[in-house]
Amino acid sequence: MEKLTGPKKIKTAIFISGRGSNLNNLIKFAKTKKSPIIIDLVIANKQAKGLKYADQYKILKKIINFKKSKIAEQKILSILEKKKINFICLAGFMKILSNNFIKKFKGKIINIHPSYLPKYKGLNTSVRALNNNEKFSGCTVHYVNARLDSGKIIMQKKVKIEKNESEASLDKKIIKEEHKLYPASILKIFN
């Protein structure tokens, strides 16, 4: 007798470059009943600290060197195909994917960005917000398109910047919101 399972979960890959706090958060989310995704693969462009979560949860991980990005992307596409991955979450992935790669996964790659887009695309978002005396920053989950941090916005959350805010304290507040926003955005997409 075959065991009845719930709706089939979407096979997902997470791409990282850093400490992996969003990866860890997404893995925990994927293990919940309400999650529409299952994480089958973690891709990193270097020996990232966050890979420890792939080990901890026994998820296949691949480190792909991006010195020759065209070759790197071909390798990744081949792995994604083999693993039948249908959805990609970028979580602090510090490489820009080519238009060609994005086209192959059109509408199936999302990213989390540590600012309230369209403000502060790219890097050092908290420093830039603080230097410009902004009243708030935030985080955004958006679809990935050919232009950096410019895809259609799925969800956003504002974070108030206090008078004596430091980069570290602002980053900490934003990460806390990212951990709520990323799962909420995934639920919004698939429900």
Side-chain angles (χ1 to χ4, degrees):
M1 188 86 180
E2 200 179 318
K3 204 172 82 183
L4 290 174
T5 52
K8 219 165 151 47
K9 294 198 174 209
I10 294 125
K11 289 163 96 47
T12 302
I14 313 286
F15 289 23
I16 67 165
S17 296
R19 54 179 197 266
S21 81
N22 271 304
L23 168 63
N24 185 32
N25 184 55
L26 287 174
I27 292 170
K28 288 177 178 167
F29 165 67
K31 290 186 173 304
T32 66
K33 235 191 189 111
K34 67 178 180 187
S35 167
I37 64 168
I38 180 167
I39 298 167
D40 276 347
L41 177 66
V42 176
I43 298 239
N45 62 304
K46 60 182 186 185
Q47 189 58 57
K49 275 187 188 157
L51 289 170
K52 68 180 179 209
Y53 298 116
D55 292 336
Q56 188 181 325
Y57 294 100
K58 295 175 180 44
I59 298 168
L60 178 69
K61 66 176 186 196
K62 296 281 182 192
I63 300 167
I64 309 285
N65 182 325
F66 263 77
K67 274 201 171 70
K68 294 192 171 93
S69 61
K70 226 180 189 154
I71 294 168
E73 286 189 355
Q74 283 166 350
K75 270 187 198 165
I76 293 171
L77 285 168
S78 149
I79 298 164
L80 294 171
E81 204 173 304
K82 267 192 207 112
K83 292 286 290 171
K84 296 181 170 48
I85 298 294
N86 294 311
F87 191 61
I88 298 170
C89 297
L90 306 182
F93 188 61
M94 303 310 274
K95 291 289 168 195
I96 294 174
L97 296 167
S98 74
N99 211 352
N100 191 33
F101 186 98
I102 293 165
K103 268 187 196 142
K104 285 190 170 47
F105 270 85
K106 190 165 171 39
K108 292 180 180 158
I109 307 175
I110 63 172
N111 180 43
I112 189 146
H113 183 72
S115 81
Y116 200 83
L117 289 173
K119 274 194 169 172
Y120 306 115
K121 295 172 183 177
L123 302 173
N124 309 317
T125 54
S126 291
V127 174
R128 288 156 57 207
L130 291 168
N131 288 345
N132 288 330
N133 298 314
E134 297 285 357
K135 299 272 182 273
F136 67 88
S137 183
C139 49
T140 305
V141 176
H142 64 91
Y143 286 102
V144 174
N145 67 10
R147 294 188 336 275
L148 181 70
D149 299 326
S150 299
K152 183 174 181 278
I153 290 169
I154 301 159
M155 288 180 90
Q156 294 181 292
K157 178 76 173 126
K158 282 185 180 179
V159 171
K160 192 176 185 321
I161 296 177
E162 302 301 334
K163 268 207 167 55
N164 302 315
E165 197 83 66
S166 70
E167 183 190 354
S169 67
L170 181 56
D171 283 346
K172 206 180 208 170
K173 287 200 305 203
I174 290 172
I175 277 281
K176 199 174 159 191
E177 292 305 329
E178 285 183 9
H179 290 175
K180 296 179 211 160
L181 194 68
Y182 220 157
S185 299
I186 291 168
L187 286 169
K188 183 178 177 185
I189 292 168
F190 292 109
N191 288 342

